[in-house]
Amino acid sequence: MHSTTSSQTSHAISLTLFCKVVDNYGDIGICWRLARQLAHEHGVAVTLWVDDLASFRSICPEVDSSADVQDVQGIAVQHWRDQNGVFAAGDVADIVVEFFACDIPPGYIKAMSECAPRPVWLNLEGLTAETWVEGCHTLPSPHPQLPLTKYFFFPGFNRRTGGLQLESGLIAQREAFLADPRAASDFLAQFGVTETEMRALKVSLFCYPQAPIAALFAAWQASGQAVLCLVPEGVGGDAVTDFLGQPSTAGAHATRGALTVRVLPFVPQPDYDKLLWACDVNFVRGEDSFVRAQWAAKPFIWHIYPQDENLHHVKLKAFLSTSPAATPSLTALALAWNGATGDGIDIAALWRNMQADLPNIARLSMDWERVLLANGDLATNLLKFAETVPPRV
């Protein structure tokens, strides 16, 4: 590249990020975090193309879901309606990122080929702990007809990948939150959580409908310890509405046995981090909340996005074998939660085993965080790689 990635530069480079929303909140969650960090920490002029503004609005209330073009927190947001856009070379950014091979408009690709110099073109892939990505990270892929080369960029868990998304001040913000004896209770009070409920074991629940939620709820109801479960509205399907005895809308709550379930509205991304910090255990799904759970450094269970032929189980097992915080008790519950074990699984027994292991898992989660921090963050690593791409004239 011919421009610097330093936040001190007088010439801000530009980057366009294309996002198609498949998993309602994970895809836009990843792309929105990346866009914000590139703009606010690195001084990059970012344009974000996204096809689903309604999902975007759920995690960023400032978004106008009816606008074709808008500025959100200093980022140009474009509604990506179809593949028919007409573009000129002047519309193309210095760096073009497609998220998860999302097929950016042919007109934009043609315009890229007409630029001098041509942009750095990256395919930002999905996160996995599988070792094969280490050999594919930053590999070039020449376009079959046009004078363009696309590079694969993989996030990951070691130095042979692109690392994980992490804003520069996040860990310090978390530590300040945890050091404040009133921070968690004040934060959760806005959702109706009482002081009595604050003394319970606090669990956030974000999962896909096929998770064995009813079995877990039954285990919590019969628990010898009070459990407070905080679940976003619309998550959990029939199991949550059946427990509540009413629609799973924000503000709904019910207590049965030792378990209290409260339904929360979807919150902006910074508040979701606070929710993870405020809880003792976090159930997360997809990719975005999965990464944030690791930066919360609390015990968590990952519900992975389902794939054909159970390929997601391979990814799940790869991660569980990589993280030291995936103790045998956590691993057993995670596999059962994802349907990666046989029939007849006793969720209650698996939960009791993991609950007894929570102090050990919490300690190992902090050890895992130190490993991840040593890899650098995704945004910085992405920009550093873009600098190494030879001039494309």
Side-chain angles (χ1 to χ4, degrees), residues 123-323:
N123 176 20
L124 179 58
E125 283 285 352
L127 174 63
T128 180
E130 295 167 278
T131 56
W132 65 264
V133 305
E134 298 169 13
C136 296
H137 179 55
T138 70
L139 277 183
S141 175
H143 193 280
Q145 284 91 35
L146 299 174
L148 294 169
T149 298
K150 176 164 57 177
Y151 296 85
F152 294 96
F153 199 88
F154 284 84
F157 302 98
N158 59 44
R159 294 177 183 269
R160 295 178 295 279
T161 65
L164 301 180
Q165 288 187 288
L166 174 66
E167 299 84 356
S168 62
L170 183 72
I171 304 302
Q173 293 167 19
R174 184 197 69 197
E175 291 306 298
F177 182 91
L178 295 176
D180 183 347
R182 292 293 309 174
S185 56
D186 289 348
F187 173 73
L188 293 179
Q190 66 183 302
F191 306 116
V193 174
T194 67
E195 290 293 337
T196 298
E197 291 169 354
M198 282 297 300
R199 292 192 286 273
L201 181 76
K202 295 174 288 298
V203 182
S204 73
L205 179 64
F206 190 36
C207 61
Y208 301 108
Q210 63 268 33
I213 302 167
L216 187 61
F217 278 4
W220 287 342
Q221 288 179 68
S223 173
Q225 177 180 7
V227 177
L228 172 65
C229 177
L230 303 170
V231 56
E233 60 182 330
V235 169
D238 292 342
V240 174
T241 56
D242 289 348
F243 180 89
L244 294 170
Q246 59 181 303
S248 177
T249 54
H253 61 93
T255 300
R256 301 179 189 276
L259 172 61
T260 297
V261 174
R262 284 191 173 274
V263 181
L264 277 54
F266 271 87
V267 296
Q269 285 183 328
D271 281 351
Y272 183 69
D273 284 319
K274 292 179 181 178
L275 176 64
L276 297 176
W277 303 340
C279 288
D280 303 297
V281 181
N282 295 300
F283 285 72
V284 295
R285 81 180 200 191
E287 182 173 325
D288 183 56
S289 61
F290 167 52
V291 172
R292 304 316 281 191
Q294 290 173 81
W295 296 131
K298 298 285 187 79
F300 73 91
I301 294 290
W302 180 28
H303 202 197
I304 189 169
Y305 188 78
Q307 294 177 291
D308 292 339
E309 300 179 355
N310 288 328
L311 292 178
H312 56 298
H313 291 165
V314 176
K315 293 179 65 174
L316 172 66
K317 292 173 182 177
F319 173 72
L320 293 173
S321 66
T322 299
S323 170

